[in-house]
Each structure stands twice: as structure tokens, then as C-alpha cells.
Amino acid sequence: FKQKTAYEITYGDWSSDVCSSDLNLVSYWEMQNNANDYYGNNNGTATNVTYTTGIVGNAGVFNGNTSKISLGTGYNRLNYTTFSAGGWIYPTQTRYGNIITSWNQTNLTGWKLRLTSGNKLEFEYGNAGNVSVGSFVTNANISLNTWTHVLLTVTSGNTFNFYINGVLDRTLSGAAFVLGYGSTTTYSLIGANPMYGSGEAEFFMRS
């Protein structure tokens, strides 16, 4: 996997470049007035999401309370130990907010890519079912009221890279996380819990 340069991320045509040419792409939610998966089969169901002008076409707007896009239940939707997940985000408040998640709250397995109350990008993961949760955060803060491309890459469940606008921010290693399990209790979501701002998301089955 060759991480895109900052220029490519900022000025590239994601809808034609990434989606049509990358065979490792699993899903790309453009937020073009709906929650459809432009590339794959993980169409979402939007709740209280509106749309505005984004970095590429439109973007989903999340109200920080009830807005979310549900990708359904089932541990196989975004459940890999080697993957990349991220998107364009435009946060407008300093608060916790999920960007994209595949999480089982019952047995504390799976993962979350989210913003913290300190404006950091965070990867939270279940590293022992029903026992504990681990997390890593970026060195840099994510700016408010501006478009930022964020990306997390995970290799074999225990090596993590954060990229901000195409630039490597931090590389970390830790205990391998446990994939979410439970066909009706592992939820895949964009936004929620809560996310206040705008954005779009992509998911690759690669690091």
C-alpha cells in the first residue's frame, strides 16, 4: 500500500481515482445526499443526517446528538485485522465523536476511529474480550472548522499508523486487538456517539 501524498489527498479526485482503480477498496461512502456505498455493498441507513458542500461533491452533516449512519450488524462487515479506514472530516466542536466504528459493546471487542475531547485522532480497540479496551492517539491535533483527511492503517491487528493530510503522524505497536464477534451485537457505524461536523468515509482491506 502506497499512502497518497498530501497533494494527492488534498487535490485528487477520490471518486474516480481511489474507487475505480483500487482493488483493495471495500467501501467508500461519498455522502452525495445519501448513505450509499459508492464502491461496495455496505449501503448505510442515515438517521438525522443532512448534507452540505464537501471536499468532493457533498458531505454528510452530523448534529452531535442523534445523527448517525448505520451499516448494520454482523461481525463481517468491517471486521479485519489488516485494514485502512479514514475520510475527510470537518469537525466544528471539541468533543468525542466517532468517525467510523465496528464495535461490540457487550463483549468489548472490535474497534473505533474517533476524535477525542482534546482534538486528537484516536484508535480505540478491544484487546481482550469482556476485559479491557486499549487506545492510541495522534501527536497532532485535528483543526476545527477546516477540512482534514485522516487515515488509520492497521497491520495484523497490532501495528498502527496515523496519517493526517497524507503525512505520517505516528506509528505504534501494541497487543493485537480482538475482532468484534456476535452477529447481532457488533455494530458498524459512521458518526454517532456523537460526531458534530461534516465528512465522508472510506474503508480498505489493506494496511
Side-chain angles (χ1 to χ4, degrees):
F1 168 48
K2 176 184 178 295
Q3 167 62 17
K4 283 181 171 289
T5 66
Y7 182 90
E8 289 172 321
I9 282 176
T10 304
Y11 299 104
D13 181 355
W14 279 74
S15 60
S16 62
D17 181 15
V18 174
C19 293
S20 63
S21 63
D22 197 318
L23 298 180
N24 293 303
L25 183 64
V26 175
S27 293
Y28 177 41
W29 298 275
E30 285 192 298
M31 309 296 175
Q32 300 304 302
N33 299 316
N34 58 54
N36 292 342
D37 181 355
Y38 176 89
Y39 188 82
N41 297 312
N42 289 319
N43 290 338
T45 300
T47 300
N48 296 325
V49 176
T50 58
Y51 300 92
T52 189
T53 302
I55 196 74
V56 180
N58 289 341
V61 179
F62 299 83
N63 64 20
N65 185 18
T66 58
S67 295
K68 65 180 179 181
I69 293 174
S70 174
L71 305 177
T73 59
Y75 54 83
N76 61 332
R77 287 184 177 269
L78 302 179
N79 217 26
Y80 305 91
T81 55
T82 294
F83 66 89
S84 298
W88 286 100
I89 61 172
Y90 190 101
T92 55
Q93 289 188 9
T94 299
R95 61 192 301 175
Y96 273 101
N98 290 335
I99 300 170
I100 183 170
T101 66
S102 179
W103 185 255
N104 189 320
Q105 186 62 35
T106 301
N107 53 43
L108 299 182
T109 56
W111 56 270
K112 301 177 183 180
L113 180 62
R114 65 181 189 172
L115 293 175
T116 72
S117 59
N119 290 341
K120 302 286 188 181
L121 184 65
E122 179 181 50
F123 178 61
E124 183 179 66
Y125 60 96
N127 60 5
N130 296 311
V131 178
S132 62
V133 174
S135 67
F136 297 119
V137 298
T138 53
N139 290 316
N141 289 348
I142 305 299
S143 299
L144 296 180
N145 302 308
T146 188
W147 285 106
T148 300
H149 190 272
V150 297
L151 185 72
L152 165 79
T153 71
V154 180
T155 303
S156 300
N158 60 7
T159 301
F160 314 99
N161 293 302
F162 287 117
Y163 293 87
I164 299 175
N165 288 328
V167 178
L168 179 64
D169 173 86
R170 193 175 184 187
T171 298
L172 298 152
S173 297
F177 69 90
V178 178
L179 290 173
Y181 56 87
S183 60
T184 60
T185 52
T186 296
Y187 293 88
S188 296
L189 298 165
I190 298 171
N193 196 36
M195 177 65 185
Y196 196 98
S198 307
E200 60 184 50
E202 69 257 7
F203 184 86
F204 297 84
M205 191 174 66
R206 66 178 185 187
S207 62

